[in-house]
Structures are given as structure tokens and as C-alpha cells.
């Protein structure tokens, strides 16, 4: 210790804390002597807190003014609790803190339910550099609220007496403190309505302590084919993710490992079989040493680790999982191996396919519905500007935009990510566009040639070819040979191309199930090929027929039309049903709050909107109660066709009652979205029927089309020879 160093007067246990405090930007410039004195008196304290430790709460009976808390590192949340449950957790924490080292060693490593899940509502979240008055939230909410660590954290507590003294003596500190408190207050006041639900979800489901990214399913893009689960199971023998996780708005946070920042699954393992790989930034299980004790699975509060039976004869025996482990020689036991005895089951969890060049589940998704995305970009509990200010000690004035904090649109409108997000994925971005471009351009070229032959024969390719052949000495003779009808060469070529594309579209299920096809192209590519072939194929067949439908061959044509139309309806349903019947509670709450805001400023306009919503809601209710499946689908299609006209009429009505500019655009948009939500009353009860019923038309007529087309080709080919 250097001579004259103020820290020399501190007890040894406080000196390390003093060194850390001197690195805190908020206290930069505050004299050493003042900090030392505050540490010695207890007015200033630096604490290390474990996850789920209660930092402060309204039930403290000391009577002292609540301290100011600065979060140096980690994460602290504030939650509303049941008073009895909160008291029990406080008593357990106090008992644990009084235990000796040996007594703590005897306590089970499997922790109780996380505080974030015990809370009735999580109302605030603080991260590195944040500063707040621990009594402010309680005073504002008037409810039993406690601050707790969601991850291991380092905090600094300052008594209000110390804050007042330093602020008076050092204006620069007063300015920093004022900025910090103002930003915290603005953030807390802005977390209402939909934002409150988003924040509670963010903390409660452990996403706030997840790794760099989380895997989500976009409900408005998913066709529920389960290819992601199938691909995962094929790669590992047992699947490592399950759809239908915790849903927030239009996103499903699938059941899978999120690589928590505090990795609470690692500590309970007594065999060092689960570790955090700092290079891969992933928690990985060593299959060769896992004993199947299930401690890691029990300690994971999010159900991300499964125990898979590998012993033959067990009711839950998984032979594919065992085969993978045997191939890797991970089931060996005895001297010279990683385990002493035969293992009955092995822990299984997602490691983001760290040993592969792509993530099986994301690559297998045909529509791009399954993605990985940054949890912090998605939820954004504070803006980047606020984060920079917090880490810099609030040295500059800042006027944050409330819209940057906890944005609602990813959950109410969807994130519209098509390329897998941050996931490793084997998928061509331009392949689908190229397929559609080639298909449409080829059909347009054929159509142009047909039209030229019929209406401008001298400009057609056939005429130019005939003249170039030299077989026709005059233009008149060549023109007599120019034409288009069912059965000529161009029609036959269109028929062959169209039939080939329809066959490819019909056997699409084979493409997505057989591994050999997935080596050729991704499921996304095959799905887009299926859609393109099912669209462009009938267009070529229509040219082939020249619309001459008087013979039995018309059966094949109309079967094709039914297949194509039912395919379009199926695709329409798969994009509409999830959007209309899932995850709309958040969006509805958002619109209702916005309408309440507009109601005081534009009462006449809001009465018009209320009338439109009421009338539409009544119609939707009648359809839901009395219409059958086909009638409901017809109503849904008609409603979509009427949307543009309604939009124009609504915009005109609001303009006539004096609403203009930004307010009118907002009201028009929100009213349209509320009408869509009301349609959910019709769709929700019939969603599964709608999605399943179209296949009862699509599949049988696909079979009929195949039969009729084969017969037509056979007969025509036989006649040609």
C-alpha cells in the first residue's frame, strides 16, 4: 500500500471494493477521501449478489430512506409479488446468508423457481450502468415490489444522505445523478400497456438472460409442417427443439436452449459433463461422460434439457439416439472410459449445431418461419443511446425517444425475416427468385408467340423460321402454315412443360422427406419450386389446350384447375389463419390504448370508427355463430377483396370530419387492423377445420389429375406414332 493512500485506512475486505468504485464513471472526479469515508461508514457499499437474490423491497422495516442503486454489472429486475411468497423467499435468503461454508455445501444445487416466474408481474429491468432510487417504483406503483437479480450482479448502494452531500459539493456529480434519475423515471413511466406485457414476458421467460440470440417461429409464415423438428431428430436421433413454446404476439419462442448468460444448468453437474465453451459461446454436453443423473435438466427452469433413454427395453427407449451415440463411441463404460457404469439415459440439449455448417431446423424450414434473432435487438429494453450514456457515467445531456424502448411492432406485426436471421443456414437467397423469373418469363415468351401467330403472324417466330427454311417461295404460302391450335408442335411443347411442372409440384412431399433431395437443394428451394411449378404448370397446360375443352380430356384440365385453385386457397389459409387466430391480444391492446388517446382529440371521428367497428363486429359474430365452413371461407375472401374500398371510404369520412395528416393515417391504419382482429372471431373456432379441409380437395384431385394426364399422354403418344 502506497504511503498516503486513503484506502490504507480501510479494512482489507473493503479495499477491493474501493478499487472497483474508482473505475465507476459515475464517481469519476469524486475525491478519494470522500469515497473511503463513505465506504467506512457504510453510506457507500459494493455488493456481489447471486441470481434470484433480493436486493431491496418495500417490506423493509428499517424506516430508513431507500438507497440509490447503481448496477455495475449484471441484471436487476423489479417485480410485483404476493406478500406471503415474498416473505418466504426473504426468510430463505436470510437463512442461507447466515450459513457456514460447510452448511451451504450441503444445500441442494437445484434452485427453487426463479423470482422472475414467482412474480405476479415484472415491471422494470435494469442493466449495466443503470441508476435508480429503490423506492421510486414502489411509490409509483403502490404495490409490494421487490428488486431481485436475474443473473449474478455487482451493485453499488448509496444512501440518500451521501447522494445529497456529494451533489451539493460537486455540481458535476449532481448533473450526472439528475440525468440518470431522469432517464430511469422516463423509462419506467413509458412502460405501460403493451410495453408492460412485453417487458414481463422478456424477464419471466428468461429471455433477458439468454445468449446472443434466441430462436423464434414467425407464426404468420409457418405452415405447421414440422420439418424443423423432423430435421433436428434426423441429425441427433432425438429432437432438441419443440414448437408451441411461449408465444408473444406473432412470435413463438420455441422450446429449446437459449444459452443463458449465467448457465444455471452447469453448477449441479457433479461429473463435469456439461460445460460452457467460450469459443463456441455455447453450453455443450459431453455424451461420453454424462451419467444421466438429470441434475442439469432439473436445474434448467425453461425445460431446455431432456433425458433420453438409451437402454434397450425401457418404455421410452430411443434407438436412433442410441445409434448416434454408439457411432460416436459415447456409451462406453469401465476402466479407461469417461464413466464407471453402464448409462441408462443421456442428457440432450440444443447446441445450435455447433459441429455442423448449418442449423438443421432452420435450414429445413421451407417458408423461412424459423429464425434466430438478437434478443436485445428484438426487445430493446433501453435504446442504444441510453446504454452508451449509462456506461459513460451520464456525462452528456440526452433526450431519448420513447419509441425506441420496448418496440411493439415485432410482436403485433411480425419481424418479417426471411433469411434465417443470425442462424447458420444452408439456403440460397436468390434461388427462389430465379425459379419464378425463369418460369414466368418462359410462359410469357410462349404466350407472346401464340398471340403473334394468331393476330400478327408475320411477326411470329414460326413465320420467320418458315421463311428461313426456304421451303416456301412466297410469303403467302408461309402465312398459310402459321397458326396455333391444340395438337400442333408448340401446343405439344407447352403441354409437356406444363405436365412436367405439375408432376414436380405433385411429388413435392417426396422432396421434403427424402434426404437425397435435401442434398440437392434446401427445403426452402423445393417449396418455392413446388409453388412455382403449381402456378406456372397450369398456365402452360392452358396454352396447350388452346381452351378446346369439348372432349373427355377436359376432365384433366378441370382437375388441374381445381388442384391449382385449392393450392392457392391452402397457401392463403396458411398465411391468413395464424395471423388472424393467434397472438392478437397484444395488438388489440395497443390499438385500444391509441383509440383512447385519440378519443379526447377527435370525438366525432372516433364515433365514426366505433360505429364501423361495432357493425363489422356484429357481422363477424353472426358468421362465427351461424355460417358453415365453406360460407365462412367465402366471407373471409370477400372481406379481403373489400379491404381497399373500405380503406378509401374510411379515409374520406375521417377527412370530412376534420381529421387530417398523421392522425388520420394512424386512425385509418389502426381501424383496418382492428377489423382484421375481429375476423379472428370467425377464424379461430374454424382454424383447424379450414387448414385440414382444403387438403381433402387438393390431394384427391391431384390424384385424378395424374390419372387423366397419364391417360391423355398415352393415347396422344400412341396416335402420334
Amino acid at each position: 500500500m502506497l504511503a498516503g493512500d486513503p484506502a490504507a485506512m480501510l479494512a482489507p475486505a473493503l479495499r477491493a471494493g474501493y478499487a472497483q468504485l474508482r473505475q465507476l464513471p459515475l464517481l469519476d472526479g469524486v475525491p478519494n477521501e470522500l469515497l473511503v469515508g463513505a465506504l467506512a461508514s457504510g453510506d457507500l457499499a459494493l455488493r456481489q449478489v447471486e441470481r434470484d437474490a433480493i436486493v431491496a423491497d418495500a417490506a423493509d422495516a428499517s424506516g430508513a430512506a431507500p438507497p440509490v442503486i447503481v448496477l455495475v454489472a449484471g441484471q436487476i429486475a423489479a417485480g410485483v409479488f404476493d406478500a406471503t411468497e415474498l416473505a418466504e423467499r426473504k426468510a430463505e435468503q436470510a437463512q442461507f446468508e447466515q450459513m457456514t461454508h460447510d452448511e451451504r455445501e450441503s444445500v441442494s444445487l437445484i434452485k427453487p423457481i426463479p423470482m422472475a416466474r414467482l412474480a405476479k408481474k415484472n415491471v422494470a429491468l435494469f442493466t449495466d450502468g443503470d441508476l435508480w432510487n429503490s423506492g421510486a417504483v414502489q411509490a409509483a406503483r403502490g404495490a409490494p415490489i421487490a428488486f431481485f437479480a436475474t443473473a449474478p450482479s455487482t451493485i453499488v448502494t448509496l444512501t440518500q444522505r451521501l447522494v445529497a452531500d456529494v451533489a451539493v459539493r460537486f455540481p458535476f456529480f449532481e448533473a450526472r445523478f439528475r440525468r440518470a434519475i431522469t432517464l430511469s423515471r422516463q423509462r419506467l413511466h413509458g412502460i405501460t400497456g403493451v410495453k408492460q406485457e412485453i417487458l414481463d414476458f422478456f424477464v419471466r421467460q428468461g429471455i433477458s438472460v439468454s445468449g446472443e440470440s434466441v430462436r423464434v417461429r414467425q407464426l404468420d409464415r409457418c405452415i405447421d409442417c414440422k420439418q424443423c423438428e423432423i430435421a433436428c431428430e434426423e441429425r441427433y436421433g432425438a429432437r432438441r427443439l419443440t414448437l408451441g413454446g411461449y408465444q408473444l404476439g406473432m412470435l413463438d419462442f420455441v422450446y429449446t436452449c437459449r444459452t443463458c448468460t449465467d448457465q444455471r444448468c452447469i453448477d449441479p453437474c457433479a461429473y463435469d459433463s456439461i460445460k460452457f465453451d467460450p469459443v463456441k459461446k455455447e453450453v455443450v454436453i459431453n455424451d461420453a461422460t454424462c451419467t444421466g443423473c438429470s441434475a442439469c435438466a432439473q436445474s434448467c427452469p425453461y425445460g431446455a434439457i431432456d433425458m433420453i433413454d438409451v437402454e434397450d427395453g425401457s418404455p421410452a427407449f430411443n434407438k436412433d439416439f442410441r445409434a448416434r451415440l454408439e457411432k460416436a463411441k459415447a456409451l462406453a463404460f469401465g476402466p479407461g472410459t469417461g464413466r464407471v457404469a453402464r448409462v441408462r439415459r443421456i442428457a440432450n440439449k440444443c447446441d445450435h449445431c455447433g459441429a455442423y455448417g448449418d442449423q438443421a431446423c432452420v435450414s429445413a424450414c421451407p417458408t423461412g418461419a424459423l429464425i434466430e434473432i438478437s434478443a436485445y435487438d428484438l426487445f430493446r429494453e433501453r435504446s442504444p443511446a441510453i446504454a452508451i450514456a449509462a456506461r459513460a457515467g451520464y456525462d452528456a445531456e440526452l433526450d431519448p425517444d420513447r419509441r425506441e424502448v420496448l418496440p411493439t411492432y415485432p410482436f403485433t406485426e411480425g419481424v418479417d425475416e426471411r433469411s434465417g436471421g443470425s442462424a447458420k443456414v444452408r439456403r440460397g437467397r436468390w434461388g427462389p427468385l430465379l425459379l419464378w423469373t425463369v418460369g414466368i418469363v418462359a410462359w410469357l415468351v410462349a404466350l407472346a408467340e401464340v398471340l403473334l401467330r394468331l393476330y400478327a403472324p408475320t411477326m411470329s417466330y414460326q413465320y420467320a423460321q418458315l421463311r428461313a427454311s426456304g421451303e416456301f417461295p412466297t410469303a403467302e404460302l408461309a402465312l398459310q402454315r402459321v397458326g396455333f391450335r391444340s395438337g400442333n408442335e408448340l401446343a405439344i411443347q407447352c403441354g409437356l412443360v406444363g405436365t412436367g411442372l405439375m408432376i414436380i409440384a405433385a411429388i413435392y412431399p417426396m422432396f421434403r422427406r427424402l434426404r437425397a433431395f435435401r442434398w440437392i437443394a434446401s427445403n426452402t428451394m423445393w417449396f418455392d419450386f413446388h409453388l412455382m411449378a403449381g402456378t406456372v404448370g397450369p398456365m402452360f397446360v392452358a396454352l396447350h389446350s388452346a381452351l378446346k375443352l369439348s372432349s373427355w380430356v377436359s376432365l384433366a384440365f378441370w382437375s388441374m384447375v381445381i388442384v391449382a385453385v385449392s393450392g392457392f386457397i391452402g397457401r392463403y389459409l396458411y398465411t391468413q389463419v395464424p395471423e388472424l387466430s393467434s397472438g392478437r391480444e397484444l395488438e388489440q391492446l395497443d390499438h385500444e390504448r391509441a383509440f383512447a388517446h385519440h378519443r379526447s382529440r377527435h370525438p366525432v371521428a372516433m364515433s365514426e370508427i366505433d360505429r364501423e367497428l361495432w357493425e363489422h363486429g356484429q357481422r363477424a359474430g353472426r358468421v362465427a355463430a351461424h355460417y358453415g365452413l365453406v360460407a365462412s371461407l367465402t366471407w373471409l375472401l370477400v372481406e379481403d377483396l373489400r379491404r381497399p374500398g373500405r380503406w378509401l371510404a374510411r379515409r374520406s369520412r375521417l377527412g370530412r370530419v376534420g381529421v387530417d395528416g398523421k392522425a388520420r393515417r394512424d386512425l385509418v391504419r389502426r381501424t383496418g387492423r382492428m377489423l382484421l382482429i375481429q375476423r379472428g372471431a370467425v377464424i379461430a373456432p374454424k382454424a383447424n377445420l379450414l387448414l385440414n379441409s382444403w387438403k381433402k380437395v387438393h390431394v384427391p384431385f391431384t390424384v385424378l389429375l395424374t390419372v387423366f394426364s397419364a391417360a391423355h399422354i398415352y393415347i396422344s403418344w400412341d396416335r402420334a406414332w
Side-chain angles (χ1 to χ4, degrees):
M1 189 68 64
L2 296 175
D5 187 351
M9 61 184 293
L10 288 173
L14 296 178
R15 290 174 187 169
Y18 170 77
Q20 282 189 268
L21 289 172
R22 277 288 48 153
Q23 303 300 316
L24 195 62
L26 183 71
L27 299 177
D28 187 29
V30 177
N32 295 336
E33 294 80 3
L34 194 154
L35 292 182
V36 168
L39 274 171
S41 66
D43 285 338
L44 178 64
L46 185 136
R47 295 170 53 192
Q48 305 291 335
V49 294
E50 296 298 322
R51 58 175 176 262
D52 288 325
I54 299 171
V55 175
D57 74 282
D60 287 331
S62 61
V68 172
I69 300 176
V70 181
L71 181 55
V72 179
Q75 193 177 99
I76 303 292
V80 181
F81 292 88
D82 176 81
T84 303
E85 292 178 339
L86 181 60
E88 290 176 356
R89 289 299 285 262
K90 284 189 64 181
E92 292 172 3
Q93 179 175 323
Q95 182 182 6
F96 183 80
E97 291 173 351
Q98 293 172 4
M99 289 181 179
T100 64
H101 175 75
D102 291 339
E103 289 174 334
R104 291 185 180 184
E105 287 294 314
S106 65
V107 175
S108 173
L109 290 174
I110 300 175
K111 304 298 183 183
I113 181 174
M115 292 289 288
R117 292 201 163 181
L118 187 66
K120 293 181 176 180
K121 180 79 73 174
N122 296 286
V123 295
L125 183 68
F126 304 96
T127 52
D128 297 3
D130 281 340
L131 179 153
W132 71 97
N133 181 339
S134 61
V137 176
Q138 295 136 6
R141 304 281 178 171
I145 290 179
F147 293 83
F148 60 93
T150 58
S153 303
T154 302
I155 65 171
V156 172
T157 58
L158 305 89
T159 63
Q160 293 193 22
R161 179 180 62 185
L162 175 64
V163 171
D165 179 46
V166 178
V168 169
R169 294 170 59 184
F170 303 99
F172 66 85
F173 177 81
E174 187 277 333
R176 293 173 186 168
F177 186 81
R178 171 180 48 80
R179 296 183 193 115
I181 288 294
T182 300
L183 287 174
S184 290
R185 184 181 299 117
Q186 289 176 346
R187 284 171 62 195
L188 292 174
H189 288 174
I191 300 175
T192 58
V194 176
K195 291 179 182 288
Q196 178 64 80
E197 299 301 322
I198 293 173
L199 177 70
D200 178 61
F201 185 93
F202 185 44
V203 178
R204 183 177 302 278
Q205 307 306 340
I207 303 170
S208 67
V209 293
S210 67
E212 294 182 355
S213 62
V214 290
R215 204 165 317 156
V216 298
R217 175 173 57 127
Q218 303 174 89
L219 294 174
D220 55 340
R221 296 184 63 81
C222 180
I223 59 174
D224 204 31
C225 64
K226 299 292 194 299
Q227 287 299 301
C228 53
E229 294 181 354
I230 294 170
C232 181
E233 190 165 359
E234 285 180 350
R235 177 169 287 183
Y236 295 105
R239 66 187 182 193
R240 297 178 168 187
L241 84 160
T242 304
L243 301 182
Y246 300 105
Q247 294 184 11
L248 183 65
M250 297 306 298
L251 298 179
D252 166 26
F253 292 77
V254 299
Y255 292 116
T256 191
C257 179
R258 302 188 188 121
T259 317
C260 301
T261 55
D262 59 341
Q263 298 108 37
R264 61 187 70 195
C265 56
I266 293 178
D267 294 343
C269 182
Y271 303 95
D272 205 24
S273 296
I274 181 169
K275 296 181 180 180
F276 179 74
D277 187 326
V279 177
K280 297 179 180 178
K281 296 183 179 180
E282 190 63 54
V283 174
V284 294
I285 294 173
N286 185 349
D287 296 327
T289 61
C290 177
T291 63
C293 70
S294 77
C296 59
Q298 293 180 54
S299 65
C300 175
Y302 312 112
I305 303 178
D306 295 318
M307 303 305 299
I308 310 298
D309 287 357
V310 294
E311 190 172 79
D312 197 358
S314 168
F317 170 61
N318 187 318
K319 64 177 182 180
D320 294 331
F321 185 72
R322 180 186 175 92
R324 179 180 70 83
L325 295 178
E326 286 179 336
K327 184 178 181 181
K329 299 180 180 179
L331 294 179
F333 65 95
T337 67
R339 61 173 66 89
V340 175
R342 183 189 302 274
V343 67
R344 297 179 58 187
R345 53 185 182 173
I346 296 285
N348 184 52
K349 65 171 288 295
C350 176
D351 61 0
H352 291 79
C353 292
Y356 295 87
D358 72 323
Q359 290 174 220
C361 57
V362 182
S363 292
C365 181
T367 62
L370 193 66
I371 63 172
E372 285 209 348
I373 190 170
S374 167
Y376 304 101
D377 289 342
L378 180 62
F379 286 88
R380 204 187 313 150
E381 46 78 32
R382 63 179 183 178
S383 69
I386 294 178
I388 293 172
R391 296 188 182 101
Y394 303 98
D395 264 336
E397 294 291 342
L398 186 66
D399 184 19
D401 187 348
R402 288 189 178 185
R403 291 173 297 181
E404 292 185 358
V405 179
L406 292 169
T408 61
Y409 64 86
F411 309 100
T412 58
E413 301 175 21
V415 296
D416 196 28
E417 173 61 57
R418 299 171 183 269
S419 60
S422 59
K424 298 181 297 181
V425 60
R426 186 173 66 90
R427 179 185 300 156
R429 177 176 296 182
W430 302 108
L433 179 62
L434 179 63
L435 284 175
W436 279 96
T437 301
V438 170
I440 295 296
V441 169
W443 183 79
L444 289 175
V445 169
L447 176 65
E449 174 64 13
V450 170
L451 294 177
L452 288 174
R453 290 185 184 186
L454 294 176
Y455 302 107
T458 58
M459 298 177 63
S460 68
Y461 175 74
Q462 185 185 29
Y463 176 76
Q465 196 176 35
L466 292 174
R467 291 290 290 162
S469 68
E471 296 181 12
F472 302 93
T474 65
E476 290 76 9
L477 291 174
L479 281 174
Q480 292 177 6
R481 297 293 302 272
V482 175
F484 180 78
R485 65 184 184 280
S486 177
N488 70 8
E489 184 179 0
L490 178 59
I492 292 174
Q493 291 172 349
C494 288
L496 292 174
V497 172
T499 301
L501 289 174
M502 291 296 290
I503 291 173
I504 291 173
I507 62 175
Y508 163 70
M510 183 186 301
F511 294 150
R512 74 181 192 185
R513 284 182 171 83
L514 298 182
R515 294 186 184 184
F517 287 106
R518 293 205 294 273
W519 281 108
I520 300 173
S522 67
N523 276 359
T524 307
M525 192 69 145
W526 286 123
F527 183 69
D528 278 289
F529 200 2
H530 168 71
L531 294 179
M532 186 278 291
T535 302
V536 178
M539 294 162 62
F540 271 105
V541 173
L543 290 180
H544 163 73
S545 69
L547 299 182
K548 302 297 183 181
L549 307 174
S550 56
S551 68
W552 68 271
V553 179
S554 63
L555 295 174
F557 180 85
W558 291 116
S559 295
M560 178 198 71
V561 171
I562 293 173
V563 169
V565 171
S566 64
F568 281 118
I569 291 175
R571 183 64 180 147
Y572 170 79
L573 290 175
Y574 270 118
T575 56
Q576 289 290 307
V577 168
E579 182 179 0
L580 295 176
S581 60
S582 302
R584 285 303 168 197
E585 297 82 1
L586 280 181
E587 184 180 2
Q588 185 172 1
L589 177 60
D590 184 41
H591 295 323
E592 288 173 350
R593 289 183 63 85
F595 285 154
H597 175 73
H598 284 295
R599 208 174 298 280
S600 59
R601 300 185 178 186
H602 309 288
V604 178
M606 283 307 305
S607 65
E608 283 285 318
I609 289 173
D610 289 340
R611 179 187 58 79
E612 182 179 2
L613 291 175
W614 182 85
E615 291 176 352
H616 185 270
Q618 293 295 307
R619 288 195 299 272
R622 287 194 296 270
V623 173
H626 305 295
Y627 282 28
L629 193 62
V630 175
S632 296
L633 178 59
T634 303
W635 182 81
L636 181 64
L637 292 169
V638 171
E639 284 289 297
D640 265 347
L641 294 174
R642 294 180 60 189
R643 284 171 65 183
R646 279 181 171 165
W647 182 86
L648 291 172
R650 187 182 310 121
R651 194 173 187 277
S652 176
R653 288 199 309 272
L654 293 181
R656 289 197 298 269
V657 296
V659 183
D660 205 355
K662 184 178 179 180
R664 180 169 65 168
R665 290 193 297 272
D666 187 57
L667 286 172
V668 168
R669 181 185 67 84
R670 290 184 182 276
T671 304
R673 295 301 300 178
M674 284 293 283
L675 293 178
L676 286 176
I677 292 172
Q678 287 181 346
R679 288 167 58 179
V682 177
I683 293 300
K686 300 180 172 66
N688 290 331
L689 286 174
L690 286 170
L691 288 175
N692 292 326
S693 295
W694 76 273
K695 293 182 180 179
K696 296 178 181 178
V697 174
H698 190 67
V699 174
F701 275 94
T702 300
V703 175
L704 286 177
L705 169 62
T706 304
V707 172
F708 288 139
S709 298
H712 173 55
I713 293 172
Y714 176 79
I715 294 172
S716 300
W717 193 272
D718 187 59
R719 288 176 178 175
W721 290 94

